[in-house]
């Protein structure tokens, strides 16, 4: 929040705001309507709502997979870029394979993001 104040962010279109992992409760676009077989009458016409995660241009459905209490990493500019790349690829239904020197937090960053998105994360060390 301090960074948002220091940079005087005053618009939801500002990139500093867009790069935050944000949670919204919104309509998923799926109608909950059903028809009664005997009367052919509309029983309910409510939109199904769901939790969605917004991160830059990515919109991802929340996974509802409880992974335990979230341990927070120290967020660095490198972590921010990693998360933006991972959420962008996930929103496009692609995978990601962070690469770099050993001990820089690639695995922990990926696992921490998966916890924040409530999705299962499987890490392969090959």
């Amino acid at each position: 929040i301090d960074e948002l104040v220091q940079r005087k962010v005053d618009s939801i279109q500002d990139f500093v705001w867009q790069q935050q992992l944000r949670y919204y409760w919104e309509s998923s676009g799926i109608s909950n309507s059903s028809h009664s077989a005997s009367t052919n009458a509309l029983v309910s016409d409510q939109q199904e709502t769901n939790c969605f995660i917004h991160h830059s241009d990515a919109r991802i459905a929340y996974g509802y997979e409880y992974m335990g209490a979230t341990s927070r990493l120290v967020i660095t500019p490198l972590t921010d870029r990693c998360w933006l790349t991972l959420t962008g690829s996930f929103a496009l239904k692609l995978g990601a394979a962070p690469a770099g020197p050993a001990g820089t937090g690639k695995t922990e960053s990926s696992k921490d993001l998966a916890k924040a998105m409530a999705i299962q994360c499987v890490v392969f060390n090959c």
Side-chain angles (χ1 to χ4, degrees):
I1 293 179
D2 291 336
E3 183 180 3
L4 296 173
V5 172
Q6 287 173 357
R7 292 195 179 190
K8 298 179 180 159
V9 174
D10 61 356
S11 169
I12 61 171
Q13 302 303 319
D14 194 308
F15 182 70
V16 177
W17 173 252
Q18 292 286 320
Q19 74 181 17
Q20 305 302 312
L21 200 63
R22 304 173 321 278
Y23 299 85
Y24 294 94
W25 194 258
E26 55 190 42
S27 172
S28 60
I30 300 170
S31 179
N32 241 2
S33 303
S34 62
H35 293 281
S36 170
S38 61
T39 62
N40 202 22
L42 189 62
V43 175
S44 152
D45 192 21
Q46 296 175 332
Q47 287 289 321
E48 184 176 308
T49 57
N50 204 348
C51 182
F52 287 91
I53 300 166
H54 292 240
H55 197 212
S56 187
D57 290 335
R59 180 178 179 261
I60 302 163
Y62 187 76
Y64 299 104
E65 182 77 32
Y66 182 69
M67 307 292 250
T70 304
S71 61
R72 292 300 311 191
L73 296 175
V74 174
I75 304 299
T76 64
L78 185 58
T79 308
D80 283 338
R81 283 183 293 204
C82 180
W83 279 27
L84 280 169
T85 304
L86 291 172
T87 55
S89 68
F90 192 78
L92 294 171
K93 309 288 189 244
L94 300 171
T104 55
K106 299 176 298 292
T107 301
E108 291 306 315
S109 293
S110 301
K111 288 173 22 181
D112 198 44
L113 177 61
K115 273 188 177 183
M117 294 170 47
I119 60 172
Q120 183 180 18
C121 177
V122 179
V123 178
F124 293 95
N125 291 318
C126 343

